[in-house]
Amino acid sequence: MSKGVLTDITKCIGCGSCVVACKMWNHLEYDHKQPASGPAAKLNDKNWTVVNTCEVQDTRSEPVWRFAKRQCMHCEEPACASACFSRALQKNADGPVVYYPELCVGCRYCMIACPFDIPKYEWSKAAPQIAKCQLCSSRLAKGEAPACVVVCPTGVMQFGTRSELLQRARNIIQSDPQYIPSIYGQDEVGGTCWLYISDVPFAQLGFRTNLGTVPLPWYTHRFLKNTPFIALGWGALLTAMSFYIRRRKEMAENKQETEKELGDKHED
Ligand code: SF4
Ligand code: SF4
Ligand code: SF4
């Protein structure tokens, strides 16, 4: 049964403890150029989760501040996994969409396919990999909640089965009029394991609200029908280029050797 996390935007104080916990649990470096919390926070290969500070326009009063923790949504039918022909991204039965670097060929189709713009690439590394939140899958396998959920001092996030969390979210919304009548992730692109409730419209928090409810693999499958041929074509091109470059190098080396021999003979 899919597990997930319900995030209550009204409870977040923007302290960033979840960001620190994620870095410590996953041994991620601090990125001194790209902050992981604040108005300019952005996901990248070192920031698997960020806390965005959002100024929300409220027609009844002064603008208000809200903090939105973002990470992979762990889609029920992940477009990233369906676009990955080498199966480097796989959906676990208990919810997480997990990346297996040893299977990755670096094609980056997952980055194009993801509707939430989540997978990032380690551009600065010699052997780059894809980077994204793994929903702490090794912790889930042991029955533990994700590291970021556990450390949150204000209880913003609840961990449980997706169906329990959806029921809890409905109960909260029905019993408290401050919440907008919407659960983000319930239906988006076929549903996600990371769910949100809020007292301000999700669009004002920078969430994509026009994604529709159709699982994106429905579209990517049509693209994927061609993927093996694209991959084969790409592979053939790389092989041909490698052969051509090696041949050029050999010819240049032979030419240098011949010139040296001729030079030596001339001096004799
Ligand atoms: S949010 Fe993107 S990266 Fe995460 S599971 Fe869904 S499609 Fe994959
Ligand atoms: S679930 Fe784990 S990997 Fe994902 S943001 Fe939280 S701590 Fe990081
Ligand atoms: S630890 Fe909790 S309160 Fe602090 S930023 Fe993360 S979600 Fe918000």
Side-chain angles (χ1 to χ4, degrees):
M1 189 179 285
S2 259
K3 298 209 176 69
V5 177
L6 172 62
T7 301
D8 185 341
I9 294 287
T10 68
K11 290 187 174 174
C12 183
I13 55 172
C15 68
S17 302
C18 50
V19 168
V20 175
C22 180
K23 284 191 181 292
M24 289 180 74
W25 181 256
N26 296 296
H27 309 289
L28 301 173
E29 287 169 36
Y30 281 82
D31 190 339
H32 298 290
K33 291 188 193 142
Q34 178 58 67
S37 52
K42 275 200 185 124
L43 293 174
N44 66 16
D45 58 327
K46 300 182 190 82
N47 298 338
W48 289 9
T49 186
V50 294
V51 178
N52 285 126
T53 307
C54 312
E55 187 180 355
V56 177
Q57 292 301 323
D58 188 327
T59 49
R60 295 157 300 174
S61 63
E62 294 292 303
V64 292
W65 293 97
R66 289 291 177 270
F67 307 98
K69 180 187 180 298
R70 307 298 295 272
Q71 69 298 300
C72 173
M73 296 292 285
H74 297 278
C75 304
E76 284 289 72
E77 297 192 48
C80 59
S82 84
C84 179
F85 61 88
S86 68
R87 291 189 48 76
L89 285 153
Q90 296 177 29
K91 174 83 174 169
N92 283 6
D94 62 347
V97 176
V98 179
Y99 173 64
Y100 297 93
E102 65 280 10
L103 297 176
C104 181
V105 296
C107 68
R108 305 193 293 279
Y109 288 156
C110 55
M111 293 173 69
I112 300 164
C114 174
F116 299 100
D117 191 22
I118 299 297
K120 302 297 175 204
Y121 199 55
E122 295 176 325
W123 293 103
S124 58
K125 293 198 178 167
Q129 296 178 354
I130 291 293
K132 75 167 198 73
C133 157
Q134 307 268 53
L135 195 50
C136 289
S137 59
S138 59
R139 292 177 63 89
L140 262 63
K142 291 188 281 178
E144 295 170 356
C148 56
V149 173
V150 173
V151 299
C152 177
T154 59
V156 168
M157 293 164 280
Q158 298 182 42
F159 173 66
T161 66
R162 186 171 184 272
S163 52
E164 275 169 11
L165 294 175
L166 280 170
Q167 193 50 53
R168 270 189 239 173
R170 285 185 206 111
N171 293 344
I172 294 169
I173 290 170
Q174 274 172 13
S175 61
D176 189 340
Q178 76 164 319
Y179 289 93
I180 59 165
S182 170
I183 304 168
Y184 192 86
Q186 174 172 270
D187 299 313
E188 276 73 15
V189 294
T192 61
C193 287
W194 211 292
L195 304 162
Y196 290 85
I197 52 175
S198 169
D199 60 339
V200 296
F202 289 109
Q204 292 199 38
L205 299 169
F207 286 47
R208 292 180 178 174
T209 51
N210 57 353
L211 295 172
T213 58
V214 177
L216 291 189
W218 189 84
Y219 300 107
T220 47
H221 275 312
R222 288 195 299 182
F223 168 74
L224 261 180
K225 279 197 285 188
N226 297 321
T227 304
F229 303 107
I230 294 169
L232 282 175
W234 184 237
L237 178 65
L238 288 177
T239 308
M241 278 176 68
S242 151
F243 178 79
Y244 173 72
I245 291 165
R246 206 169 55 230
R247 189 79 192 107
R248 282 276 305 261
K249 204 171 155 213
E250 280 170 8
M251 285 167 71
E253 281 167 2
N254 288 344
K255 190 171 170 229
Q256 269 180 354
E257 273 173 27
T258 312
E259 282 172 356
K260 188 167 176 296
E261 275 172 23
L262 287 173
D264 288 348
K265 275 184 191 162
H266 184 70
E267 279 170 21
D268 292 346

